[in-house]
Coordinates of all heavy atoms in Angstrom, one line a residue:
G1349 N -26.4 -5.4 7.5 CA -26.7 -4.6 6.3 C -28.0 -5.2 5.6 O -28.6 -6.1 6.1
A1350 N -28.3 -4.6 4.5 CA -29.5 -5.0 3.7 C -29.4 -6.5 3.2 O -28.3 -7.0 3.1 CB -29.7 -4.1 2.5
E1351 N -30.5 -7.1 3.0 CA -30.6 -8.5 2.5 C -30.4 -8.5 1.0 O -31.3 -8.6 0.2 CB -31.9 -9.1 2.9 CG -32.2 -10.5 2.7 CD -31.3 -11.4 3.5 OE1 -31.3 -11.3 4.8 OE2 -30.5 -12.2 2.9
V1352 N -29.1 -8.3 0.6 CA -28.9 -8.2 -0.9 C -27.8 -9.1 -1.2 O -27.0 -9.5 -0.4 CB -28.5 -6.8 -1.3 CG1 -29.6 -5.8 -1.2 CG2 -27.2 -6.3 -0.6
S1353 N -27.7 -9.5 -2.5 CA -26.7 -10.4 -2.9 C -25.5 -9.6 -3.5 O -25.6 -8.4 -3.9 CB -27.3 -11.2 -4.1 OG -26.4 -12.2 -4.6
G1354 N -24.3 -10.3 -3.5 CA -23.1 -9.6 -4.1 C -22.3 -10.7 -4.8 O -22.5 -11.9 -4.7
I1355 N -21.3 -10.2 -5.5 CA -20.4 -11.1 -6.2 C -19.0 -10.5 -6.2 O -18.9 -9.2 -6.3 CB -20.8 -11.5 -7.6 CG1 -19.9 -12.5 -8.2 CG2 -20.9 -10.3 -8.5 CD1 -20.5 -13.3 -9.4
G1356 N -18.0 -11.3 -6.1 CA -16.6 -10.7 -6.1 C -15.6 -11.8 -6.4 O -15.9 -12.9 -6.5
F1357 N -14.3 -11.3 -6.4 CA -13.2 -12.3 -6.6 C -12.0 -11.6 -6.1 O -11.9 -10.3 -5.9 CB -13.0 -12.7 -8.1 CG -12.5 -11.6 -9.0 CD1 -11.1 -11.4 -9.1 CD2 -13.4 -10.7 -9.5 CE1 -10.6 -10.4 -9.9 CE2 -12.9 -9.7 -10.3 CZ -11.5 -9.5 -10.5
A1358 N -11.0 -12.4 -5.8 CA -9.6 -11.9 -5.5 C -8.5 -12.7 -6.2 O -8.7 -13.9 -6.3 CB -9.4 -11.9 -4.0
F1359 N -7.6 -12.0 -6.7 CA -6.4 -12.6 -7.3 C -5.3 -12.7 -6.2 O -5.2 -11.8 -5.3 CB -5.8 -11.8 -8.4 CG -6.5 -11.9 -9.7 CD1 -6.9 -10.7 -10.3 CD2 -6.9 -13.1 -10.2 CE1 -7.6 -10.7 -11.5 CE2 -7.6 -13.1 -11.5 CZ -7.9 -12.0 -12.1
G1360 N -4.5 -13.7 -6.2 CA -3.3 -13.7 -5.3 C -2.2 -13.0 -6.1 O -1.8 -13.5 -7.2
I1361 N -1.7 -11.9 -5.6 CA -0.8 -11.1 -6.3 C 0.6 -11.9 -6.6 O 1.1 -11.9 -7.6 CB -0.5 -9.8 -5.7 CG1 -1.9 -9.0 -5.7 CG2 0.6 -9.0 -6.4 CD1 -1.8 -7.6 -5.1
E1362 N 1.0 -12.6 -5.5 CA 2.3 -13.4 -5.7 C 2.1 -14.4 -6.8 O 3.1 -14.7 -7.6 CB 2.7 -14.1 -4.4 CG 3.3 -13.3 -3.3 CD 2.3 -12.4 -2.6 OE1 1.1 -12.5 -2.8 OE2 2.7 -11.6 -1.8
R1363 N 0.9 -15.0 -6.9 CA 0.7 -16.0 -7.9 C 0.7 -15.4 -9.3 O 1.1 -16.0 -10.3 CB -0.5 -16.8 -7.6 CG -0.4 -17.6 -6.3 CD -1.5 -18.5 -6.0 NE -1.3 -19.1 -4.7 CZ -2.1 -19.9 -4.1 NH1 -3.1 -20.3 -4.8 NH2 -1.8 -20.4 -3.0
L1364 N 0.0 -14.2 -9.5 CA 0.1 -13.5 -10.7 C 1.5 -13.2 -11.1 O 1.9 -13.4 -12.3 CB -0.7 -12.2 -10.6 CG -2.2 -12.3 -10.4 CD1 -2.8 -10.8 -10.3 CD2 -2.9 -13.0 -11.5
M1365 N 2.3 -12.8 -10.1 CA 3.7 -12.5 -10.4 C 4.5 -13.6 -11.0 O 5.4 -13.5 -11.9 CB 4.4 -11.9 -9.2 CG 3.8 -10.5 -8.8 SD 4.7 -9.5 -7.7 CE 5.0 -10.5 -6.3
L1366 N 4.2 -14.8 -10.5 CA 4.8 -16.0 -11.0 C 4.6 -16.3 -12.4 O 5.4 -16.8 -13.1 CB 4.3 -17.3 -10.2 CG 4.9 -17.6 -8.8 CD1 4.2 -18.7 -8.2 CD2 6.4 -17.8 -8.9

Side-chain angles (χ1 to χ4, degrees):
E1351 187 65 56
V1352 293
S1353 179
I1355 186 166
F1357 70 92
F1359 286 129
I1361 297 183
E1362 282 77 4
R1363 297 188 185 178
L1364 292 178
M1365 295 196 305
L1366 280 176

